[in-house]
Amino acid sequence: MKLIAIYKCLCDETRLRILHLLSHQALCVCHFQEILSAPQVKISKHLAYLREHALVETKREGTWIVYSLPVKASAELTANMKCLQDCCRGNAVFSADLRRMNRALANCAGPLAECCGEQPKTARGSKPKAARA
Amino acid sequence: MKLIAIYKCLCDETRLRILHLLSHQALCVCHFQEILSAPQVKISKHLAYLREHALVETKREGTWIVYSLPVKASAELTANMKCLQDCCRGNAVFSADLRRMNRALANCAGPLAECCGEQPKTARGSKPKAARA
DNA sequence: TCGGTATATTCTTCTCTACGCATATTCCTT
DNA sequence: AAGGAATATGCGTAGAGAAGAATATACCGA
C-alpha cells in the first residue's frame, strides 16, 4: 500500500520538515543540516529512510548529493504534498524553515559553495558559478 | 505538532482503513470488526490509539459505542481526510471496505440490531427502530 | 440480581524506529 | 597519491508500536 509508506515517512518531525522543504525546492544534504540545525547522521539516516520508501530521488553533483521528490511522483504523493503545503502555510516552524532555506540558497550561490544548481522556484541569490555533470 | 499526530494515526493499515470509513460515516466498534474482519482486541486498541491522539470522538449508545471524526475537526485533519478520500477513490481495498460498510449498515438497520442510528451520508437500510439517549 | 453482549485494558512478546558514536565511502583538489 | 569535504553505514541502546491471550468493565434485559 503506497499510502502507508507515504504516511510512515510523514509521521516523524525531521522527515516531515524535509519533505515540506522538498515540496518547494530540491536541496542537498548540507542544506538540510543547516536549515534544520540537525547533526549529519540524523539527516542522512532520515534521507535513507525516505530513499528506501521511494519518496525521494538523488542526483550526484560532485561531492554533493541533491535530493528531490521523484520526477514521476505517484498521484498519492502529489496529493499529499499539496495537502502538506496547505497545512503548513502560516505555521511558524515550517515558515521559518522556508526562510532559512532561502537564506541558505542565497549564501550557497555566493562565493563559498554552489551545490544546488537547480532552478529554484523561490527567491534566489546570484552567480550560480558552475554545475558539473 | 498536530500534523505529526495525524500522520502517525494514518501510517498503520488498520487505522488508515478505519479513518477512511469514518470520513464517510460514523460507525460503532462491531461494524469495524465486521468490515475489516479483524479481531475485537485489534480494533479496540487501534481505536484507543485514535482516541488518545484526538482523531476520533465517541458517543455511547446503550451497549454500543459509536465512533466518529471530531465534530470540530482541525483544518489539518479536514484537509487530510479530504486528501485521503481522493487517494482512495478507485482503490480496491478501500472500495471494498465501503461496500462492506453499506452492507453492514443495511443489515444493522434490519431486525437484528441498530447501533449506528446516525443519519448516514450514503445508502441505508430501513427501520432505524430506536435510538436510546 | 444475574447472565449476556459490547467494548476496553493488562501483560507479554516481538519488531520497528530513533539516535549517537565511530567509521567507511566517494569525490574533488593539489 | 594524499588529504580533505560531503555523505553514508554499522553497531549498540532505548523506546514506541503491534499483536494475541486473558481478563475487566459497562450496559442491557429478564
Side-chain angles (χ1 to χ4, degrees):
Chain A
M1 191 107 68
K2 247 181 302 187
L3 265 179
I4 294 180
I6 293 175
Y7 290 130
K8 273 183 183 290
C9 289
L10 285 167
C11 75
D12 171 90
E13 174 166 352
T14 304
R15 290 195 295 267
L16 182 58
R17 292 169 70 188
I18 288 177
L19 286 168
H20 173 245
L21 288 168
L22 287 181
S23 77
H24 287 271
Q25 159 80 49
L27 291 168
C28 70
V29 184
C30 56
H31 283 141
F32 292 120
Q33 292 178 221
E34 181 181 351
I35 298 170
L36 305 187
S37 325
Q40 187 259 326
V41 206
K42 186 171 176 180
I43 297 293
S44 186
K45 289 239 188 86
H46 282 297
L47 288 173
Y49 189 101
L50 294 176
R51 253 184 291 125
E52 286 156 13
H53 289 78
L55 281 228
V56 297
E57 283 173 356
T58 61
K59 196 175 65 169
R60 204 160 195 132
E61 294 280 343
T63 337
W64 303 292
I65 299 182
V66 179
Y67 279 78
S68 60
L69 295 180
V71 181
K72 296 176 167 272
S74 67
E76 289 91 339
L77 181 55
T78 305
N80 273 286
M81 285 300 104
K82 170 80 174 52
C83 180
L84 178 60
Q85 287 196 345
D86 292 345
C87 290
C88 291
R89 216 180 306 287
N91 174 292
V93 174
F94 295 107
S95 302
D97 281 349
L98 289 183
R99 276 195 299 279
R100 274 191 295 270
M101 179 183 82
N102 286 324
R103 212 178 312 139
L105 287 172
N107 291 340
C108 173
L112 293 176
E114 51 281 315
C115 30
C116 300
E118 326 298 305
Q119 51 288 347
K121 295 160 195 141
T122 59
R124 180 64 191 282
S126 55
K127 197 163 44 158
K129 205 171 61 179
R132 309 116 176 115
Chain B
M1 191 108 65
K2 245 180 299 185
L3 265 180
I4 294 180
I6 294 175
Y7 290 129
K8 272 183 183 291
C9 289
L10 286 167
C11 74
D12 170 89
E13 174 166 352
T14 304
R15 290 195 296 267
L16 182 57
R17 292 169 70 188
I18 287 176
L19 286 168
H20 173 245
L21 288 168
L22 287 180
S23 77
H24 288 270
Q25 160 80 49
L27 290 168
C28 70
V29 183
C30 56
H31 283 141
F32 292 120
Q33 293 177 221
E34 181 181 350
I35 298 169
L36 305 188
S37 323
Q40 188 258 326
V41 207
K42 186 171 176 181
I43 296 293
S44 186
K45 287 235 196 85
H46 283 296
L47 287 173
Y49 188 102
L50 294 175
R51 253 184 290 126
E52 285 157 14
H53 289 78
L55 282 228
V56 297
E57 283 174 353
T58 62
K59 196 175 65 170
R60 202 158 198 134
E61 292 282 342
T63 338
W64 304 291
I65 299 182
V66 178
Y67 278 77
S68 60
L69 295 181
V71 181
K72 296 176 167 272
S74 67
E76 288 91 339
L77 181 55
T78 305
N80 273 287
M81 286 300 104
K82 171 81 172 55
C83 180
L84 178 59
Q85 287 197 345
D86 292 345
C87 290
C88 291
R89 216 180 308 285
N91 174 292
V93 175
F94 296 107
S95 302
D97 281 350
L98 289 182
R99 274 195 300 278
R100 274 191 293 269
M101 179 183 83
N102 285 325
R103 211 177 315 141
L105 286 172
N107 290 341
C108 173
L112 294 175
E114 51 281 315
C115 29
C116 299
E118 325 300 302
Q119 51 289 346
K121 297 162 194 139
T122 59
R124 181 63 192 282
S126 55
K127 197 163 47 160
K129 205 171 62 180
R132 308 120 177 111

